[in-house]
Amino acid sequence: MIMQTAVRARRPPETVNPFAADVIAGLSVKPKYLPPKYFYDLAGSALFERITHLPEYYPTRSELGLLQKYGPAITSLFPPGCALVEFGAGASTKARILLRAAASVEAYVPIDISGDFLQKDAARLRRDFPHLAIHPVVADFTTMLEPPAEIAAKPRAGFFPGSTIGNFEPHEAAGFLRRAGAILGAGAVFVVGVDLAKSPDILYRAYNDEEGVTAKFNLNLLARINRELGGNFNLEAFEHHAFYNAERSRIEMHLASTKRQKVRLCDTTIEFRAGETIHTENSYKYSIDSFQVLALGSGWSPIKAWTDGLFSVHALRMTEDR
Ligand code: AVI
């Protein structure tokens, strides 16, 4: 008798592409939305870098000016011998200003999701700051819970520049501040860059620049879906819309369909009415007071805020033992 070996066809484990899952989920509800974290692929990060140099986009220039001017005052608040932890470090341009101003920092911990970038930058930092211990951490800082082991015994300071906190919903911002408090620990100082509510006209221009770079940045989300998920978005049939929603104190970015159309991606058909929009980003703007209230409610005591009237840099202290 010939024994037959049962060869079971083994299906490869289902691999869920989180980008595909989030895109389908966001485009299947009304109103349609896409999570802003997907702006930052290679092309999107390069476009964002261009945005930071635009004449209309004041936040980067303002914050750099504040850090340069008040760096010594800001870093004088840091606990002696501390490790500086930066959430979402990128090229660490802004941290370098603090590191140059701070005599008492012993270690720098840039946290970023992009490992390649982080390692390259760490090599440059080691060369430029030979006395500093550099411990890059590849992680999603929004879900991280503990400080890296290398700095577990050191007092800590935190840095979250760029008003990235404004891209969180206020309840998410509070949750992030709480988690950062748990990572940084009692006695820590947290330096947070926060864009301020101001004349709607200045805000409007910052997100509707003449050169159209912000429009390209917004539309790159659809281009990315085409590139990575085999979508067939016609970029000519969508428009960049950005406006200030004063009631909610936020800039809203949307992509508006210029006509009735169907789009295919990942074996799914998405229908658009003429004028229907995809909500792609909120950028909340705070007053000094409203941000300090948010911080207080998240376990942080505001120590001081520096401003040029457009942007603010806050120093907070973690007083609770958590
Ligand atoms: C990264 N983030 C703080 C920027 C902002 O201003 O909300 C993203 C951006 N979106 C359009 N322009 C810049």
Side-chain angles (χ1 to χ4, degrees):
M1 196 173 119
I2 301 168
M3 290 284 284
Q4 284 221 320
T5 323
V7 181
R8 274 215 202 113
R10 277 185 125 228
R11 271 212 269 139
E14 293 278 329
T15 43
V16 181
N17 174 347
F19 179 39
D22 286 347
V23 167
I24 302 279
L27 298 184
S28 306
V29 292
K30 280 189 185 152
K32 294 179 168 61
Y33 74 94
L34 288 170
K37 65 177 176 184
Y38 293 117
F39 279 133
Y40 303 94
D41 65 345
L42 216 59
S45 299
L47 285 165
F48 179 65
E49 178 61 25
R50 278 177 65 192
I51 288 176
T52 64
H53 297 286
L54 289 169
E56 299 94 334
Y57 193 78
Y58 61 86
T60 313
R61 260 188 315 281
S62 269
E63 189 177 39
L64 286 170
L66 289 169
L67 293 173
Q68 244 131 20
K69 189 164 174 192
Y70 301 110
I74 296 168
T75 54
S76 72
L77 301 168
F78 289 1
C82 73
L84 179 65
V85 179
E86 182 172 5
F87 297 89
S92 60
T93 318
K94 292 169 187 167
R96 283 168 177 266
I97 301 175
L98 292 186
L99 292 172
R100 259 181 235 115
S104 66
V105 174
E106 290 184 357
Y108 173 55
V109 182
I111 308 172
D112 206 284
I113 198 106
S114 161
D116 277 1
F117 205 76
L118 213 52
Q119 291 307 340
K120 267 190 212 135
D121 196 49
R124 280 194 292 264
L125 281 160
R126 286 191 185 103
R127 191 194 57 211
D128 297 345
F129 297 90
H131 304 300
L132 212 59
I134 312 284
H135 303 295
V137 175
V138 182
D140 177 353
F141 68 83
T142 59
T143 54
M144 202 173 154
L145 292 173
E146 284 190 358
E150 294 93 331
I151 59 154
K154 282 194 189 304
R156 285 154 228 156
F159 188 36
F160 193 41
S163 204
T164 303
I165 198 147
N167 296 131
F168 296 154
E169 290 303 303
H171 73 276
E172 293 169 345
F176 166 73
L177 287 172
R178 283 200 172 279
R179 271 196 307 282
I183 293 170
L184 297 171
V189 168
F190 199 8
V191 179
V192 186
V194 184
D195 196 14
L196 295 176
K198 61 183 63 66
S199 135
D201 191 45
I202 297 177
L203 285 169
Y204 181 87
R205 279 189 275 120
Y207 294 83
N208 290 280
D209 63 281
E210 289 229 325
E211 214 187 313
V213 184
T214 310
K216 278 199 191 121
F217 173 73
N218 200 4
L219 283 159
N220 177 58
L221 254 182
L222 305 185
R224 180 174 181 185
I225 294 172
N226 287 351
R227 281 193 297 270
E228 293 182 26
L229 306 178
N232 68 349
F233 274 104
N234 172 9
L235 269 57
E236 308 280 296
F238 286 86
E239 274 174 0
H240 164 71
H241 284 187
F243 56 88
Y244 187 52
N245 179 338
E247 210 174 292
R248 308 193 71 170
S249 200
R250 70 190 193 194
I251 284 281
E252 292 187 14
M253 291 213 312
H254 298 257
L255 288 163
S257 176
T258 57
K259 58 180 186 186
R260 193 170 161 199
Q261 56 181 318
K262 289 181 184 171
V263 175
R264 289 282 297 166
L265 56 109
C266 302
D267 296 326
T268 311
T269 301
I270 310 287
E271 298 195 16
F272 289 88
R273 287 176 281 110
E276 185 175 359
T277 71
I278 310 172
H279 191 168
T280 51
E281 187 183 60
N282 288 321
S283 190
Y284 282 86
K285 309 300 171 187
Y286 290 87
S287 65
I288 302 266
D289 279 359
S290 68
F291 184 74
Q292 290 184 334
V293 167
L294 181 83
L296 256 176
S298 314
W300 290 94
S301 300
I303 317 174
K304 196 166 168 60
W306 295 267
T307 178
D308 61 354
L310 293 171
F311 198 90
S312 61
V313 173
H314 291 252
L316 313 169
R317 183 170 283 125
M318 178 49 60
T319 42
E320 291 168 35
D321 208 352
R322 28 189 64 237

